[in-house]
Amino acid sequence: MSRRWTLASSVAGAVVVALDGTVLTVAQPRLQGDLGASFAEVQWTSTAYLVAVAGLLVFAGRLGDRYGQQRVFALGMLGFGAASAGIACAPGVRWIIALRAVQGVFGALLQPATLGMLRAAYPPDRLARPLAVRTAAIGLAAAAGPLVGGALVTGLGWRAVFFVNVLPALVFGLPALLRPRRPAASSRTPLDVPGAVLLAVALSCLVHALTARPVSGVGLAVAAVAAAVLVRHERRTASPLLPPSVIGSRASGAALGVLVVVSAALFGTLFVATYVLQRRLGLDPLAGSLRSLPLAVLMVASAALCPVLLRRFGTRGTATAATALLALGVLVLSGAGSTPALGCAFALLGAGFGTVMVAATQVVVRRAEVAVAGVAGGLQQTALNVGPALGVATATALIGAGTTTALLTLAAVAALGVPLARALPGTDGGDAGAGTPHTTEERQLPHTARNR
């Protein structure tokens, strides 16, 4: 595959997943009425997917490293589309729940591969721009999802929203399946199946515990025990699922921490913002959605601008300022009552999150060797699954005390990302390991050839 087609495939995979989540939210009320489902069953149409995808992301990334990112991307894309078609034809809500879990398995295969393919196709010093394009596309999908979902549900019914995934799955999945890139020989390391099982149990229980209402203490306990056993296993095994070169990097650890914190703050804030707009300010859902539109616009714009900011101010400066902007946006929203104040708050949220997404993701992905790029992508996606679950759980627990209290707490959560951002590299190539070639082929190239 050419670099342009690789980028297009990566963007398509990310957009399909992002769009699927937003349109499902719009379709759930109609789905519940048509199938006579309970509220708990409707909630499980989301939870089944989240639990399945969270537990398998890192192992799926390892499969991509071993068998080829494009091959795993193709399997994930085609399986995701097939599961979507099955959901659209499902006779009852239990079928939908089961198929959503299957869709989560294929989504787990798909998501790390979209980042692993970019790492394999682009040299480290050119990753920021394709990552910015990918992030901007996700922002557009998040903004368009409610509109597309609303139009389809209103005009054709809830089943129509799931057919949306079928065409892009075929268009991008089949070429990747027919012409896969061969994985590097160095990636033929044994699969750490026990580690994968332990990680799946830990993450699945964590996400399930956080999405349960109320939060499940038993689930958190099981997740903690599984995580402790995983740490011991990974230290002793010869071929760990989580390579030390990925999780042992101070910069990568800080970047993953930033992603967890800012995604928790953003999604928790968006959960509370619904109550601010509709209950405190008395706006209807459409009017509330229009007030929040600056978030999507600024997320797209900031993602596109981020490569320029990274070159000018470096990763540390860019991510630190963006994280502070996000925290400021939550603070402004906590006291906003007028349309200009709401617009300013959502604009700050979008500008901060879009910038941090690109800056932190490029640290995680570019510092990984090509042979473990899938694992790095899986960790990045895991952070963006755990963070929102944690943020919404925090918001749910605090909203009874008032929206202002919940938002002030979430602003404090966002502020925790500032010291983490300060631990990122000062510049793209200013710290040990950053900007240096990570593969044998890149090390053999002259310096001028690598930066051509």
Side-chain angles (χ1 to χ4, degrees):
M1 281 191 180
S2 67
R3 283 182 178 174
R4 288 184 178 180
W5 184 256
T6 298
L7 177 58
S9 298
S10 176
V11 168
V15 166
V16 162
V17 172
L19 196 62
D20 179 81
T22 55
V23 298
L24 174 64
T25 303
V26 177
Q28 280 176 331
R30 184 73 65 86
L31 181 155
Q32 181 179 13
D34 288 354
L35 298 180
S38 67
F39 181 75
E41 287 174 325
V42 172
Q43 286 293 101
W44 266 102
T45 63
S46 296
T47 303
Y49 176 88
L50 291 174
V51 169
V53 75
L56 295 173
L57 281 167
V58 176
F59 186 62
R62 170 59 81 188
L63 291 177
D65 294 333
R66 181 176 174 84
Y67 298 108
Q69 300 294 348
Q70 290 182 6
R71 184 178 286 113
V72 172
F73 168 83
L75 179 61
M77 197 72 161
L78 293 172
F80 198 91
S84 298
I87 294 169
C89 301
V93 69
R94 293 186 179 180
W95 277 96
I96 293 175
I97 293 170
L99 287 169
R100 282 287 287 170
V102 173
Q103 193 180 39
V105 173
F106 287 109
L109 293 172
L110 172 60
Q111 293 179 61
T114 63
L115 291 171
M117 290 193 304
L118 292 182
R119 176 61 185 90
Y122 290 85
D125 58 349
R126 295 188 181 180
L127 267 175
R129 189 173 296 279
L131 289 174
V133 172
R134 182 180 179 275
T135 302
I138 293 173
L140 284 174
L147 300 176
V148 173
L152 289 173
V153 171
T154 301
L156 300 173
W158 65 266
R159 296 181 185 274
V161 302
F162 294 101
F163 282 118
V164 171
N165 299 326
V166 175
L167 182 59
L170 293 173
V171 170
F172 291 95
L174 287 176
L177 182 66
L178 296 175
R179 299 184 64 182
R181 178 178 293 178
R182 300 179 69 178
S186 60
S187 66
R188 294 290 181 179
T189 56
L191 294 175
D192 180 16
V193 176
V197 172
L198 288 168
L199 183 61
V201 171
L203 291 174
S204 296
C205 289
L206 176 62
V207 170
H208 180 256
L210 293 174
T211 54
R213 299 292 178 265
V215 172
S216 171
V218 174
L220 291 176
V222 174
V225 171
V229 177
L230 173 66
V231 170
R232 181 179 181 182
H233 168 78
E234 291 294 286
R235 287 176 175 174
R236 296 185 174 189
T237 187
S239 301
L241 174 68
L242 303 172
S245 62
V246 177
I247 63 171
S249 166
R250 178 173 176 264
S252 296
L256 291 170
V258 169
L259 290 172
V260 170
V261 168
V262 298
S263 61
L266 177 68
F267 283 87
T269 298
L270 294 179
F271 178 84
V272 178
T274 303
Y275 291 86
V276 171
L277 295 169
Q278 296 185 23
R279 294 189 179 179
R280 194 172 83 186
L281 302 180
L283 300 173
D284 60 45
L286 177 59
S289 298
L290 291 175
R291 297 297 194 284
S292 65
L293 191 59
L295 186 150
V297 174
L298 265 294
M299 181 177 169
V300 173
S302 63
L305 182 62
C306 189
V308 178
L309 297 176
L310 290 173
R311 288 194 297 270
R312 177 67 179 85
F313 301 106
T315 305
R316 182 187 303 145
T318 301
T320 301
T323 305
L325 279 182
L326 180 67
L328 180 60
V330 183
L331 279 176
V332 172
L333 184 62
S334 68
S338 64
T339 298
L342 290 170
C344 177
F346 284 115
L348 289 170
L349 290 172
F353 189 71
T355 305
V356 172
M357 271 280 289
V358 177
T361 299
Q362 67 96 27
V363 171
V364 176
V365 177
R366 71 171 287 167
R367 297 180 67 85
E369 298 181 6
V370 173
V372 293
V375 171
L379 288 169
Q380 188 265 3
Q381 291 293 310
T382 299
L384 293 177
N385 276 267
V386 172
L390 180 61
V392 173
T394 302
T396 302
L398 294 172
I399 201 166
T403 56
T404 300
T405 299
L407 288 172
L408 289 175
T409 303
L410 289 166
V413 171
L416 294 175
V418 173
L420 289 171
R422 295 293 301 166
L424 296 176
T427 61
D428 284 348
D431 68 321
T436 59
H438 291 296
T439 65
T440 303
E441 292 81 359
E442 289 173 7
R443 294 188 187 99
Q444 291 172 346
L445 288 174
H447 178 78
T448 55
R450 285 200 306 266
N451 294 280
R452 209 173 279 167

